[in-house]
PDB file of all heavy atoms in Angstrom:
ATOM      1  N   ASN A   1     257.190  -6.388 100.761  1.00 92.00           N
ATOM      2  CA  ASN A   1     257.040  -7.309  99.631  1.00 92.00           C
ATOM      3  C   ASN A   1     257.576  -6.708  98.328  1.00 92.00           C
ATOM      4  O   ASN A   1     257.127  -7.043  97.236  1.00 92.00           O
ATOM      5  CB  ASN A   1     255.583  -7.729  99.457  1.00 92.00           C
ATOM      6  CG  ASN A   1     254.650  -6.526  99.421  1.00 92.00           C
ATOM      7  OD1 ASN A   1     255.095  -5.381  99.455  1.00 92.00           O
ATOM      8  ND2 ASN A   1     253.362  -6.784  99.324  1.00 92.00           N
ATOM      9  N   LYS A   2     258.538  -5.778  98.448  1.00 92.00           N
ATOM     10  CA  LYS A   2     259.312  -5.216  97.326  1.00 92.00           C
ATOM     11  C   LYS A   2     258.480  -4.372  96.355  1.00 92.00           C
ATOM     12  O   LYS A   2     258.782  -4.286  95.169  1.00 92.00           O
ATOM     13  CB  LYS A   2     260.023  -6.332  96.555  1.00 92.00           C
ATOM     14  CG  LYS A   2     260.996  -7.123  97.405  1.00 92.00           C
ATOM     15  CD  LYS A   2     261.703  -8.183  96.597  1.00 92.00           C
ATOM     16  CE  LYS A   2     262.639  -9.010  97.476  1.00 92.00           C
ATOM     17  NZ  LYS A   2     263.332 -10.074  96.716  1.00 92.00           N
ATOM     18  N   LYS A   3     257.448  -3.715  96.849  1.00 93.00           N
ATOM     19  CA  LYS A   3     256.679  -2.767  96.048  1.00 93.00           C
ATOM     20  C   LYS A   3     257.243  -1.363  96.286  1.00 93.00           C
ATOM     21  O   LYS A   3     257.620  -1.025  97.416  1.00 93.00           O
ATOM     22  CB  LYS A   3     255.199  -2.806  96.426  1.00 93.00           C
ATOM     23  CG  LYS A   3     254.540  -4.164  96.200  1.00 93.00           C
ATOM     24  CD  LYS A   3     254.543  -4.542  94.734  1.00 93.00           C
ATOM     25  CE  LYS A   3     253.857  -5.894  94.508  1.00 93.00           C
ATOM     26  NZ  LYS A   3     253.915  -6.307  93.094  1.00 93.00           N
ATOM     27  N   PRO A   4     257.290  -0.511  95.264  1.00 94.00           N
ATOM     28  CA  PRO A   4     257.920   0.805  95.434  1.00 94.00           C
ATOM     29  C   PRO A   4     257.083   1.773  96.263  1.00 94.00           C
ATOM     30  O   PRO A   4     255.851   1.821  96.139  1.00 94.00           O
ATOM     31  CB  PRO A   4     258.062   1.313  93.986  1.00 94.00           C
ATOM     32  CG  PRO A   4     257.011   0.583  93.215  1.00 94.00           C
ATOM     33  CD  PRO A   4     256.871  -0.747  93.870  1.00 94.00           C
ATOM     34  N   LEU A   5     257.760   2.526  97.111  1.00 94.00           N
ATOM     35  CA  LEU A   5     257.162   3.622  97.863  1.00 94.00           C
ATOM     36  C   LEU A   5     257.830   4.927  97.427  1.00 94.00           C
ATOM     37  O   LEU A   5     258.731   4.924  96.584  1.00 94.00           O
ATOM     38  CB  LEU A   5     257.355   3.406  99.365  1.00 94.00           C
ATOM     39  CG  LEU A   5     256.566   2.270 100.018  1.00 94.00           C
ATOM     40  CD1 LEU A   5     256.995   2.103 101.467  1.00 94.00           C
ATOM     41  CD2 LEU A   5     255.069   2.530  99.933  1.00 94.00           C
ATOM     42  N   MET A   6     257.432   6.033  98.013  1.00 93.00           N
ATOM     43  CA  MET A   6     258.040   7.317  97.684  1.00 93.00           C
ATOM     44  C   MET A   6     259.489   7.354  98.169  1.00 93.00           C
ATOM     45  O   MET A   6     259.788   6.921  99.288  1.00 93.00           O
ATOM     46  CB  MET A   6     257.259   8.463  98.335  1.00 93.00           C
ATOM     47  CG  MET A   6     255.879   8.681  97.735  1.00 93.00           C
ATOM     48  SD  MET A   6     255.940   9.038  95.978  1.00 93.00           S
ATOM     49  CE  MET A   6     256.855  10.570  95.978  1.00 93.00           C
ATOM     50  N   PRO A   7     260.427   7.836  97.350  1.00 94.00           N
ATOM     51  CA  PRO A   7     261.822   7.970  97.799  1.00 94.00           C
ATOM     52  C   PRO A   7     261.921   8.897  99.006  1.00 94.00           C
ATOM     53  O   PRO A   7     261.100   9.814  99.178  1.00 94.00           O
ATOM     54  CB  PRO A   7     262.521   8.572  96.578  1.00 94.00           C
ATOM     55  CG  PRO A   7     261.660   8.191  95.413  1.00 94.00           C
ATOM     56  CD  PRO A   7     260.252   8.207  95.943  1.00 94.00           C
ATOM     57  N   CYS A   8     262.910   8.665  99.848  1.00 94.00           N
ATOM     58  CA  CYS A   8     263.089   9.475 101.050  1.00 94.00           C
ATOM     59  C   CYS A   8     264.464  10.132 101.021  1.00 94.00           C
ATOM     60  O   CYS A   8     265.292   9.860 100.149  1.00 94.00           O
ATOM     61  CB  CYS A   8     262.932   8.617 102.304  1.00 94.00           C
ATOM     62  SG  CYS A   8     264.267   7.415 102.545  1.00 94.00           S
ATOM     63  N   SER A   9     264.719  10.988 101.991  1.00 93.00           N
ATOM     64  CA  SER A   9     266.009  11.674 102.081  1.00 93.00           C
ATOM     65  C   SER A   9     267.071  10.725 102.642  1.00 93.00           C
ATOM     66  O   SER A   9     266.750   9.690 103.242  1.00 93.00           O
ATOM     67  CB  SER A   9     265.892  12.899 102.981  1.00 93.00           C
ATOM     68  OG  SER A   9     265.597  12.508 104.310  1.00 93.00           O
ATOM     69  N   GLU A  10     268.327  11.108 102.477  1.00 93.00           N
ATOM     70  CA  GLU A  10     269.419  10.289 102.994  1.00 93.00           C
ATOM     71  C   GLU A  10     269.379  10.212 104.518  1.00 93.00           C
ATOM     72  O   GLU A  10     269.675   9.170 105.113  1.00 93.00           O
ATOM     73  CB  GLU A  10     270.749  10.865 102.527  1.00 93.00           C
ATOM     74  CG  GLU A  10     270.948  10.799 101.021  1.00 93.00           C
ATOM     75  CD  GLU A  10     272.219  11.477 100.577  1.00 93.00           C
ATOM     76  OE1 GLU A  10     272.849  12.174 101.409  1.00 93.00           O
ATOM     77  OE2 GLU A  10     272.593  11.326  99.407  1.00 93.00           O
ATOM     78  N   LYS A  11     269.001  11.314 105.159  1.00 94.00           N
ATOM     79  CA  LYS A  11     268.938  11.339 106.620  1.00 94.00           C
ATOM     80  C   LYS A  11     267.896  10.363 107.142  1.00 94.00           C
ATOM     81  O   LYS A  11     268.153   9.595 108.078  1.00 94.00           O
ATOM     82  CB  LYS A  11     268.617  12.754 107.088  1.00 94.00           C
ATOM     83  CG  LYS A  11     268.531  12.892 108.592  1.00 94.00           C
ATOM     84  CD  LYS A  11     268.214  14.315 109.006  1.00 94.00           C
ATOM     85  CE  LYS A  11     268.083  14.438 110.521  1.00 94.00           C
ATOM     86  NZ  LYS A  11     267.768  15.829 110.930  1.00 94.00           N
ATOM     87  N   ARG A  12     266.723  10.364 106.518  1.00 94.00           N
ATOM     88  CA  ARG A  12     265.665   9.454 106.967  1.00 94.00           C
ATOM     89  C   ARG A  12     266.058   7.992 106.725  1.00 94.00           C
ATOM     90  O   ARG A  12     265.797   7.117 107.551  1.00 94.00           O
ATOM     91  CB  ARG A  12     264.363   9.772 106.229  1.00 94.00           C
ATOM     92  CG  ARG A  12     263.187   8.898 106.682  1.00 94.00           C
ATOM     93  CD  ARG A  12     261.868   9.445 106.196  1.00 94.00           C
ATOM     94  NE  ARG A  12     260.760   8.568 106.574  1.00 94.00           N
ATOM     95  CZ  ARG A  12     260.211   8.522 107.773  1.00 94.00           C
ATOM     96  NH1 ARG A  12     260.687   9.290 108.744  1.00 94.00           N
ATOM     97  NH2 ARG A  12     259.206   7.713 108.033  1.00 94.00           N
ATOM     98  N   ALA A  13     266.712   7.727 105.595  1.00 95.00           N
ATOM     99  CA  ALA A  13     267.153   6.359 105.306  1.00 95.00           C
ATOM    100  C   ALA A  13     268.173   5.903 106.349  1.00 95.00           C
ATOM    101  O   ALA A  13     268.142   4.742 106.799  1.00 95.00           O
ATOM    102  CB  ALA A  13     267.754   6.302 103.907  1.00 95.00           C
ATOM    103  N   ARG A  14     269.062   6.813 106.769  1.00 95.00           N
ATOM    104  CA  ARG A  14     270.066   6.478 107.773  1.00 95.00           C
ATOM    105  C   ARG A  14     269.396   6.128 109.109  1.00 95.00           C
ATOM    106  O   ARG A  14     269.798   5.180 109.788  1.00 95.00           O
ATOM    107  CB  ARG A  14     271.027   7.658 107.946  1.00 95.00           C
ATOM    108  CG  ARG A  14     272.305   7.307 108.697  1.00 95.00           C
ATOM    109  CD  ARG A  14     273.206   8.515 108.849  1.00 95.00           C
ATOM    110  NE  ARG A  14     273.551   9.102 107.570  1.00 95.00           N
ATOM    111  CZ  ARG A  14     273.157  10.303 107.158  1.00 95.00           C
ATOM    112  NH1 ARG A  14     272.408  11.063 107.949  1.00 95.00           N
ATOM    113  NH2 ARG A  14     273.514  10.762 105.984  1.00 95.00           N
ATOM    114  N   LEU A  15     268.368   6.885 109.463  1.00 95.00           N
ATOM    115  CA  LEU A  15     267.646   6.607 110.708  1.00 95.00           C
ATOM    116  C   LEU A  15     266.923   5.266 110.656  1.00 95.00           C
ATOM    117  O   LEU A  15     266.940   4.488 111.623  1.00 95.00           O
ATOM    118  CB  LEU A  15     266.647   7.734 110.986  1.00 95.00           C
ATOM    119  CG  LEU A  15     267.243   9.084 111.411  1.00 95.00           C
ATOM    120  CD1 LEU A  15     266.150  10.144 111.481  1.00 95.00           C
ATOM    121  CD2 LEU A  15     267.950   8.958 112.752  1.00 95.00           C
ATOM    122  N   LEU A  16     266.275   4.986 109.509  1.00 94.00           N
ATOM    123  CA  LEU A  16     265.552   3.715 109.375  1.00 94.00           C
ATOM    124  C   LEU A  16     266.501   2.531 109.459  1.00 94.00           C
ATOM    125  O   LEU A  16     266.185   1.499 110.071  1.00 94.00           O
ATOM    126  CB  LEU A  16     264.793   3.701 108.039  1.00 94.00           C
ATOM    127  CG  LEU A  16     263.597   4.647 107.923  1.00 94.00           C
ATOM    128  CD1 LEU A  16     263.093   4.697 106.482  1.00 94.00           C
ATOM    129  CD2 LEU A  16     262.463   4.200 108.847  1.00 94.00           C
ATOM    130  N   LEU A  17     267.679   2.663 108.881  1.00 94.00           N
ATOM    131  CA  LEU A  17     268.653   1.571 108.924  1.00 94.00           C
ATOM    132  C   LEU A  17     269.238   1.393 110.327  1.00 94.00           C
ATOM    133  O   LEU A  17     269.400   0.269 110.814  1.00 94.00           O
ATOM    134  CB  LEU A  17     269.777   1.842 107.919  1.00 94.00           C
ATOM    135  CG  LEU A  17     269.407   1.743 106.435  1.00 94.00           C
ATOM    136  CD1 LEU A  17     270.543   2.264 105.572  1.00 94.00           C
ATOM    137  CD2 LEU A  17     269.076   0.304 106.054  1.00 94.00           C
ATOM    138  N   SER A  18     269.538   2.505 111.001  1.00 95.00           N
ATOM    139  CA  SER A  18     270.147   2.427 112.334  1.00 95.00           C
ATOM    140  C   SER A  18     269.164   1.884 113.371  1.00 95.00           C
ATOM    141  O   SER A  18     269.579   1.234 114.338  1.00 95.00           O
ATOM    142  CB  SER A  18     270.650   3.812 112.761  1.00 95.00           C
ATOM    143  OG  SER A  18     269.578   4.731 112.863  1.00 95.00           O
ATOM    144  N   ARG A  19     267.869   2.137 113.165  1.00 94.00           N
ATOM    145  CA  ARG A  19     266.858   1.656 114.123  1.00 94.00           C
ATOM    146  C   ARG A  19     266.372   0.254 113.795  1.00 94.00           C
ATOM    147  O   ARG A  19     265.475  -0.272 114.482  1.00 94.00           O
ATOM    148  CB  ARG A  19     265.681   2.623 114.152  1.00 94.00           C
ATOM    149  CG  ARG A  19     266.043   3.986 114.723  1.00 94.00           C
ATOM    150  CD  ARG A  19     264.924   4.978 114.559  1.00 94.00           C
ATOM    151  NE  ARG A  19     265.305   6.299 115.073  1.00 94.00           N
ATOM    152  CZ  ARG A  19     264.552   7.397 114.957  1.00 94.00           C
ATOM    153  NH1 ARG A  19     263.377   7.334 114.333  1.00 94.00           N
ATOM    154  NH2 ARG A  19     264.977   8.532 115.458  1.00 94.00           N
ATOM    155  N   GLY A  20     266.904  -0.353 112.740  1.00 93.00           N
ATOM    156  CA  GLY A  20     266.532  -1.722 112.401  1.00 93.00           C
ATOM    157  C   GLY A  20     265.200  -1.851 111.708  1.00 93.00           C
ATOM    158  O   GLY A  20     264.665  -2.968 111.590  1.00 93.00           O
ATOM    159  N   ARG A  21     264.638  -0.753 111.224  1.00 94.00           N
ATOM    160  CA  ARG A  21     263.342  -0.808 110.542  1.00 94.00           C
ATOM    161  C   ARG A  21     263.492  -1.097 109.056  1.00 94.00           C
ATOM    162  O   ARG A  21     262.499  -1.336 108.359  1.00 94.00           O
ATOM    163  CB  ARG A  21     262.600   0.510 110.725  1.00 94.00           C
ATOM    164  CG  ARG A  21     262.164   0.793 112.149  1.00 94.00           C
ATOM    165  CD  ARG A  21     261.330   2.056 112.197  1.00 94.00           C
ATOM    166  NE  ARG A  21     260.207   1.995 111.281  1.00 94.00           N
ATOM    167  CZ  ARG A  21     259.491   3.050 110.897  1.00 94.00           C
ATOM    168  NH1 ARG A  21     259.821   4.259 111.344  1.00 94.00           N
ATOM    169  NH2 ARG A  21     258.483   2.914 110.064  1.00 94.00           N
ATOM    170  N   ALA A  22     264.723  -1.058 108.530  1.00 95.00           N
ATOM    171  CA  ALA A  22     264.948  -1.278 107.102  1.00 95.00           C
ATOM    172  C   ALA A  22     266.284  -1.979 106.898  1.00 95.00           C
ATOM    173  O   ALA A  22     267.157  -1.974 107.771  1.00 95.00           O
ATOM    174  CB  ALA A  22     264.917   0.053 106.344  1.00 95.00           C
ATOM    175  N   VAL A  23     266.426  -2.578 105.722  1.00 95.00           N
ATOM    176  CA  VAL A  23     267.686  -3.204 105.320  1.00 95.00           C
ATOM    177  C   VAL A  23     268.069  -2.663 103.948  1.00 95.00           C
ATOM    178  O   VAL A  23     267.228  -2.143 103.207  1.00 95.00           O
ATOM    179  CB  VAL A  23     267.561  -4.744 105.262  1.00 95.00           C
ATOM    180  CG1 VAL A  23     267.313  -5.318 106.636  1.00 95.00           C
ATOM    181  CG2 VAL A  23     266.464  -5.156 104.282  1.00 95.00           C
ATOM    182  N   VAL A  24     269.359  -2.785 103.624  1.00 93.00           N
ATOM    183  CA  VAL A  24     269.819  -2.338 102.311  1.00 93.00           C
ATOM    184  C   VAL A  24     269.399  -3.373 101.268  1.00 93.00           C
ATOM    185  O   VAL A  24     269.744  -4.554 101.360  1.00 93.00           O
ATOM    186  CB  VAL A  24     271.353  -2.159 102.287  1.00 93.00           C
ATOM    187  CG1 VAL A  24     271.819  -1.799 100.880  1.00 93.00           C
ATOM    188  CG2 VAL A  24     271.768  -1.087 103.284  1.00 93.00           C
ATOM    189  N   HIS A  25     268.657  -2.924 100.282  1.00 92.00           N
ATOM    190  CA  HIS A  25     268.186  -3.802  99.214  1.00 92.00           C
ATOM    191  C   HIS A  25     269.115  -3.758  98.010  1.00 92.00           C
ATOM    192  O   HIS A  25     269.379  -4.782  97.368  1.00 92.00           O
ATOM    193  CB  HIS A  25     266.770  -3.388  98.789  1.00 92.00           C
ATOM    194  CG  HIS A  25     266.208  -4.209  97.666  1.00 92.00           C
ATOM    195  ND1 HIS A  25     265.700  -5.472  97.862  1.00 92.00           N
ATOM    196  CD2 HIS A  25     266.092  -3.952  96.328  1.00 92.00           C
ATOM    197  CE1 HIS A  25     265.281  -5.961  96.705  1.00 92.00           C
ATOM    198  NE2 HIS A  25     265.512  -5.057  95.752  1.00 92.00           N
ATOM    199  N   LEU A  26     269.642  -2.580  97.702  1.00 90.00           N
ATOM    200  CA  LEU A  26     270.501  -2.392  96.531  1.00 90.00           C
ATOM    201  C   LEU A  26     271.476  -1.263  96.835  1.00 90.00           C
ATOM    202  O   LEU A  26     271.084  -0.223  97.377  1.00 90.00           O
ATOM    203  CB  LEU A  26     269.639  -2.046  95.312  1.00 90.00           C
ATOM    204  CG  LEU A  26     270.236  -2.219  93.919  1.00 90.00           C
ATOM    205  CD1 LEU A  26     270.578  -3.684  93.654  1.00 90.00           C
ATOM    206  CD2 LEU A  26     269.260  -1.718  92.858  1.00 90.00           C
ATOM    207  N   MET A  27     272.746  -1.457  96.460  1.00 89.00           N
ATOM    208  CA  MET A  27     273.750  -0.434  96.740  1.00 89.00           C
ATOM    209  C   MET A  27     273.718   0.699  95.717  1.00 89.00           C
ATOM    210  O   MET A  27     273.849   1.861  96.064  1.00 89.00           O
ATOM    211  CB  MET A  27     275.138  -1.074  96.768  1.00 89.00           C
ATOM    212  CG  MET A  27     275.403  -1.927  98.000  1.00 89.00           C
ATOM    213  SD  MET A  27     275.360  -0.983  99.541  1.00 89.00           S
ATOM    214  CE  MET A  27     276.738   0.132  99.315  1.00 89.00           C
ATOM    215  N   THR A  28     273.574   0.351  94.417  1.00 88.00           N
ATOM    216  CA  THR A  28     273.555   1.360  93.359  1.00 88.00           C
ATOM    217  C   THR A  28     272.479   1.004  92.350  1.00 88.00           C
ATOM    218  O   THR A  28     272.548  -0.076  91.745  1.00 88.00           O
ATOM    219  CB  THR A  28     274.914   1.430  92.630  1.00 88.00           C
ATOM    220  OG1 THR A  28     275.965   1.562  93.586  1.00 88.00           O
ATOM    221  CG2 THR A  28     274.949   2.589  91.678  1.00 88.00           C
ATOM    222  N   PRO A  29     271.487   1.904  92.157  1.00 92.00           N
ATOM    223  CA  PRO A  29     271.196   3.081  92.971  1.00 92.00           C
ATOM    224  C   PRO A  29     270.741   2.662  94.365  1.00 92.00           C
ATOM    225  O   PRO A  29     270.061   1.640  94.505  1.00 92.00           O
ATOM    226  CB  PRO A  29     270.075   3.763  92.196  1.00 92.00           C
ATOM    227  CG  PRO A  29     269.443   2.693  91.391  1.00 92.00           C
ATOM    228  CD  PRO A  29     270.508   1.717  91.052  1.00 92.00           C
ATOM    229  N   PHE A  30     271.154   3.435  95.374  1.00 93.00           N
ATOM    230  CA  PHE A  30     270.955   3.025  96.760  1.00 93.00           C
ATOM    231  C   PHE A  30     269.468   2.904  97.075  1.00 93.00           C
ATOM    232  O   PHE A  30     268.688   3.839  96.884  1.00 93.00           O
ATOM    233  CB  PHE A  30     271.601   4.026  97.710  1.00 93.00           C
ATOM    234  CG  PHE A  30     271.700   3.508  99.109  1.00 93.00           C
ATOM    235  CD1 PHE A  30     272.591   2.495  99.433  1.00 93.00           C
ATOM    236  CD2 PHE A  30     270.892   4.011 100.113  1.00 93.00           C
ATOM    237  CE1 PHE A  30     272.689   1.996 100.720  1.00 93.00           C
ATOM    238  CE2 PHE A  30     270.975   3.519 101.404  1.00 93.00           C
ATOM    239  CZ  PHE A  30     271.883   2.509 101.704  1.00 93.00           C
ATOM    240  N   THR A  31     269.082   1.697  97.551  1.00 95.00           N
ATOM    241  CA  THR A  31     267.672   1.380  97.806  1.00 95.00           C
ATOM    242  C   THR A  31     267.578   0.629  99.127  1.00 95.00           C
ATOM    243  O   THR A  31     268.386  -0.266  99.402  1.00 95.00           O
ATOM    244  CB  THR A  31     267.104   0.499  96.675  1.00 95.00           C
ATOM    245  OG1 THR A  31     267.358   1.119  95.412  1.00 95.00           O
ATOM    246  CG2 THR A  31     265.601   0.308  96.841  1.00 95.00           C
ATOM    247  N   ILE A  32     266.596   1.000  99.934  1.00 95.00           N
ATOM    248  CA  ILE A  32     266.348   0.285 101.184  1.00 95.00           C
ATOM    249  C   ILE A  32     264.992  -0.405 101.123  1.00 95.00           C
ATOM    250  O   ILE A  32     264.108  -0.001 100.349  1.00 95.00           O
ATOM    251  CB  ILE A  32     266.405   1.231 102.407  1.00 95.00           C
ATOM    252  CG1 ILE A  32     265.309   2.312 102.309  1.00 95.00           C
ATOM    253  CG2 ILE A  32     267.783   1.859 102.540  1.00 95.00           C
ATOM    254  CD1 ILE A  32     265.195   3.189 103.551  1.00 95.00           C
ATOM    255  N   ARG A  33     264.843  -1.453 101.926  1.00 95.00           N
ATOM    256  CA  ARG A  33     263.571  -2.180 102.001  1.00 95.00           C
ATOM    257  C   ARG A  33     263.085  -2.181 103.437  1.00 95.00           C
ATOM    258  O   ARG A  33     263.819  -2.586 104.354  1.00 95.00           O
ATOM    259  CB  ARG A  33     263.761  -3.612 101.494  1.00 95.00           C
ATOM    260  CG  ARG A  33     262.445  -4.388 101.378  1.00 95.00           C
ATOM    261  CD  ARG A  33     262.634  -5.743 100.720  1.00 95.00           C
ATOM    262  NE  ARG A  33     263.305  -6.692 101.605  1.00 95.00           N
ATOM    263  CZ  ARG A  33     264.532  -7.136 101.428  1.00 95.00           C
ATOM    264  NH1 ARG A  33     265.253  -6.710 100.409  1.00 95.00           N
ATOM    265  NH2 ARG A  33     265.067  -8.009 102.273  1.00 95.00           N
ATOM    266  N   LEU A  34     261.867  -1.703 103.639  1.00 95.00           N
ATOM    267  CA  LEU A  34     261.286  -1.619 104.975  1.00 95.00           C
ATOM    268  C   LEU A  34     260.845  -2.992 105.466  1.00 95.00           C
ATOM    269  O   LEU A  34     260.404  -3.840 104.683  1.00 95.00           O
ATOM    270  CB  LEU A  34     260.091  -0.670 104.974  1.00 95.00           C
ATOM    271  CG  LEU A  34     260.378   0.784 104.561  1.00 95.00           C
ATOM    272  CD1 LEU A  34     259.092   1.589 104.562  1.00 95.00           C
ATOM    273  CD2 LEU A  34     261.405   1.424 105.488  1.00 95.00           C
ATOM    274  N   LYS A  35     260.949  -3.212 106.770  1.00 93.00           N
ATOM    275  CA  LYS A  35     260.565  -4.491 107.371  1.00 93.00           C
ATOM    276  C   LYS A  35     259.116  -4.515 107.851  1.00 93.00           C
ATOM    277  O   LYS A  35     258.544  -5.598 108.048  1.00 93.00           O
ATOM    278  CB  LYS A  35     261.476  -4.800 108.568  1.00 93.00           C
ATOM    279  CG  LYS A  35     262.934  -5.025 108.208  1.00 93.00           C
ATOM    280  CD  LYS A  35     263.729  -5.351 109.461  1.00 93.00           C
ATOM    281  CE  LYS A  35     265.182  -5.661 109.152  1.00 93.00           C
ATOM    282  NZ  LYS A  35     265.944  -5.985 110.391  1.00 93.00           N
ATOM    283  N   ASP A  36     258.536  -3.316 108.039  1.00 89.00           N
ATOM    284  CA  ASP A  36     257.224  -3.266 108.704  1.00 89.00           C
ATOM    285  C   ASP A  36     256.155  -2.560 107.875  1.00 89.00           C
ATOM    286  O   ASP A  36     255.117  -2.164 108.408  1.00 89.00           O
ATOM    287  CB  ASP A  36     257.357  -2.565 110.054  1.00 89.00           C
ATOM    288  CG  ASP A  36     258.018  -1.189 109.914  1.00 89.00           C
ATOM    289  OD1 ASP A  36     258.382  -0.824 108.773  1.00 89.00           O
ATOM    290  OD2 ASP A  36     258.169  -0.502 110.936  1.00 89.00           O
ATOM    291  N   ARG A  37     256.385  -2.373 106.588  1.00 89.00           N
ATOM    292  CA  ARG A  37     255.390  -1.690 105.743  1.00 89.00           C
ATOM    293  C   ARG A  37     255.083  -2.551 104.532  1.00 89.00           C
ATOM    294  O   ARG A  37     255.979  -3.097 103.887  1.00 89.00           O
ATOM    295  CB  ARG A  37     255.948  -0.345 105.242  1.00 89.00           C
ATOM    296  CG  ARG A  37     256.129   0.715 106.319  1.00 89.00           C
ATOM    297  CD  ARG A  37     254.842   1.465 106.610  1.00 89.00           C
ATOM    298  NE  ARG A  37     254.329   2.190 105.481  1.00 89.00           N
ATOM    299  CZ  ARG A  37     254.705   3.416 105.120  1.00 89.00           C
ATOM    300  NH1 ARG A  37     255.651   4.043 105.814  1.00 89.00           N
ATOM    301  NH2 ARG A  37     254.163   4.005 104.096  1.00 89.00           N
ATOM    302  N   VAL A  38     253.800  -2.650 104.187  1.00 86.00           N
ATOM    303  CA  VAL A  38     253.377  -3.401 102.996  1.00 86.00           C
ATOM    304  C   VAL A  38     252.641  -2.512 102.008  1.00 86.00           C
ATOM    305  O   VAL A  38     252.308  -2.943 100.899  1.00 86.00           O
ATOM    306  CB  VAL A  38     252.485  -4.601 103.373  1.00 86.00           C
ATOM    307  CG1 VAL A  38     253.284  -5.645 104.137  1.00 86.00           C
ATOM    308  CG2 VAL A  38     251.263  -4.145 104.169  1.00 86.00           C
ATOM    309  N   ALA A  39     252.377  -1.259 102.373  1.00 85.00           N
ATOM    310  CA  ALA A  39     251.672  -0.338 101.472  1.00 85.00           C
ATOM    311  C   ALA A  39     251.946   1.086 101.930  1.00 85.00           C
ATOM    312  O   ALA A  39     252.484   1.324 103.016  1.00 85.00           O
ATOM    313  CB  ALA A  39     250.172  -0.635 101.464  1.00 85.00           C
ATOM    314  N   GLY A  40     251.560   2.039 101.093  1.00 83.00           N
ATOM    315  CA  GLY A  40     251.753   3.441 101.429  1.00 83.00           C
ATOM    316  C   GLY A  40     251.154   4.333 100.359  1.00 83.00           C
ATOM    317  O   GLY A  40     250.881   3.899  99.232  1.00 83.00           O
TER     318      GLY A  40
END
C-alpha cells in the first residue's frame, strides 16, 4: 500500500524482482514495491 520500508541492497532488490515478489515503482531514485508485504 505504498508505505516506506527499510531500503535494501541492489542484490536483494534484483532477487525480489526476478522472483516476482516486487515490481519497479520508480526508476530514479530506483524504488521497488513489494506485492506481499503491508508492514515491517
Side-chain angles (χ1 to χ4, degrees):
N1 51 4
K2 300 182 182 179
K3 299 297 181 183
L5 290 174
M6 291 301 297
C8 69
S9 65
E10 295 175 349
K11 180 180 178 180
R12 182 166 177 79
R14 194 181 303 113
L15 289 173
L16 290 170
L17 290 170
S18 62
R19 293 172 182 174
R21 293 185 55 196
V23 294
V24 176
H25 178 78
L26 198 63
M27 287 297 296
T28 309
F30 193 71
T31 307
I32 62 173
R33 187 173 73 250
L34 300 178
K35 295 181 177 180
D36 54 359
R37 291 277 298 275
V38 293

